[in-house]
Amino acid sequence: MTEILNKLYIGGQWRDASDGGSFDVLNPADESVLATVASGSVEDAMACLDAAESAFADWSARSPRERGEVLRRAYELFVKRIDDIARLITLENGKAGADATGEARYAAEFFRWYAEEAVRPAGHVGLAPATGARIVVHQKPAGMAVLVTPWNYPAAMGARKIGPALAAGCPVVIKPASETPLTMLALMPILEEAGVPAGIVNVLPSRSSGAVVGEMLADPRVRVVSFTGSTEVGRKLLRSAADNVVKPAMELGGNAPFIVCKDADLDAAADGLMVAKMRNLGEACTAANRIYVHEEIEVAFVERFTARMAALKMGNGLEDGIDVGPLVNAETRDKVDHFVRDAVAKGAELKLGGVRPNGPGFYYPPTVMTNVPDDAECLHDEIFGPVAAIQTFRDENEVVCRANDTQYGLVAYLYTRDMRRGMGIAERLEFGMIGLNRGLVSDPAAPFGGVKQSGLGREGGKEGMLEFQETQYISTEW
Ligand code: NAP
């Protein structure tokens, strides 16, 4: 097991906070203190920007191949240490071993993918139709980037930003979530060994997130803010970014519909829902939040899905054979419990679970509810827990309207055997991503992101690198 690193990482140095501040990180499985971590101040944030500024010119001037090879080495070193990283993810976040290993592999892939993308910068040359002047278009690194990440994927949400930023030539300051800063700190020795120069990646855990991020966004050297987290905080960062017109990339909340059509393969749909609902215990922006099942197949589908949920084993995520670990903190567990009580009080029927166990640990069991009424709070907010809220529908147009009736637009899932119907419905769904006969859309090679209040911009794929680049057009003739 790698040692737990608990200091700020600035300019390649491990430092205490300038004001001596610190905060505790808990193990959600037993509520014990895992580590006491330095809490970065505004002064430390400025030190991060200074370090990033000093390192920027050299890194951005290196050839794309050289940057790509550093990223490739980071991928290889990451894969070698995957078990250690996965264990740390479970320790600070609670998720079960298989989920943690899945996340660590997914995170590592962003270094491989962007090692390959680094050498394929977009650009083109054209002719101005009227004058015959040459139009030369190329991409430049956008500049210093501030990255802010959530607790639900302590490795992957950071890797999904660091990979493309470094490929594009940008230095970064990353502020991980206060519940889970340890994984990101543990990745730093890997990046160092891979050859990432001091100052190119700086990690600033901080309990004063509003102040440190706000001051960094007020500094004219910062040109990109890439945030993953709640829509509420995303709105605040967009307001702060407006002052210096900083380029925003926002991966925000979701409220994913999961639609099971009458002609769906019910076993495949139940398996797909297990992934869409239970991956990461439901603590995912992509988690199926509103489940719409055609009324004629409801009984058969619910039976299949409930049997799968009932087979899951809950416990400490570090133990073998555990599928469901604890939720990340008491607040998240209490919110999930509230959603279930509220739905049941309004008439929902409990098919499984629904009873909060006594502590220690922030556990909540796999829960299935049917006949969930439209006014249940869980249909309008992110559940972020292992609770499936099922409703029925009768007709295609009706379910498309209901699915679209939300401020969010991150991902929607749809199961049908008829691809013509599937593509037709998919195109009418107002979501940035569609899982058509799949319960998982995340892939480093694909553009991840939402529409409406789920965000701006894309991560992964070719698109992910554009978030860290600026297009320059040169008008010339020769
Ligand atoms: P959050 O409360 O928005 O926090 C996310 C990050 O923002 C944390 O690092 C947090 O720091 C920081 N933060 C909080 N207030 C801030 C402020 N005023 N200024 C600057 N930074 C601030 O979200 P969360 O509860 O950690 O994560 C869950 C949310 O993330 C859900 O809504 C989920 O849907 C969303 N999410 C979206 C995606 C996506 O790709 N669309 C992926 C994963 C998660 P502290 O921890 O120190 O408060």
Side-chain angles (χ1 to χ4, degrees), residues 149 151-152 160 175 178 227-230 251-252 285 382 448:
T149 54
W151 48 259
N152 61 347
R160 204 161 75 171
K175 202 224 69 76
S178 295
F227 171 72
T228 299
S230 60
E251 296 290 349
L252 309 177
C285 51
E382 289 178 292
F448 185 106

Side-chain angles (χ1 to χ4, degrees), residues 226-272:
S226 177
F227 171 72
T228 299
S230 60
T231 297
E232 190 191 342
V233 173
R235 281 192 201 102
K236 287 186 192 161
L237 295 189
L238 281 169
R239 286 189 199 105
S240 307
D243 286 342
N244 281 342
V245 195
V246 174
K247 187 175 161 109
M250 296 280 142
E251 296 290 349
L252 309 177
N255 184 355
F258 188 105
I259 302 169
V260 188
C261 295
K262 190 164 68 173
D263 67 351
D265 175 332
L266 295 190
D267 283 309
D271 289 340

Side-chain angles (χ1 to χ4, degrees), residues 59 93 98 100 102 126 142 157 207 211 231 240 242 245 305 316 334 347 355 391-392 397 399 401 408 423:
W59 181 248
N93 168 281
M157 297 301 96
R207 217 41 203 122
T231 297
S240 307
V245 195
F305 175 65
N316 186 327
D334 294 348
V355 180
Q391 296 190 300
T392 57
N397 290 329
V399 79
C401 286
Y408 296 108
M423 289 303 290

Side-chain angles (χ1 to χ4, degrees), residues 29-57:
D30 59 13
E31 306 179 32
S32 63
V33 175
L34 256 184
T36 300
V37 176
S39 178
S41 63
V42 167
E43 195 181 316
D44 296 317
M46 292 304 118
C48 288
L49 295 187
D50 293 344
E53 185 183 25
S54 317
F56 183 23

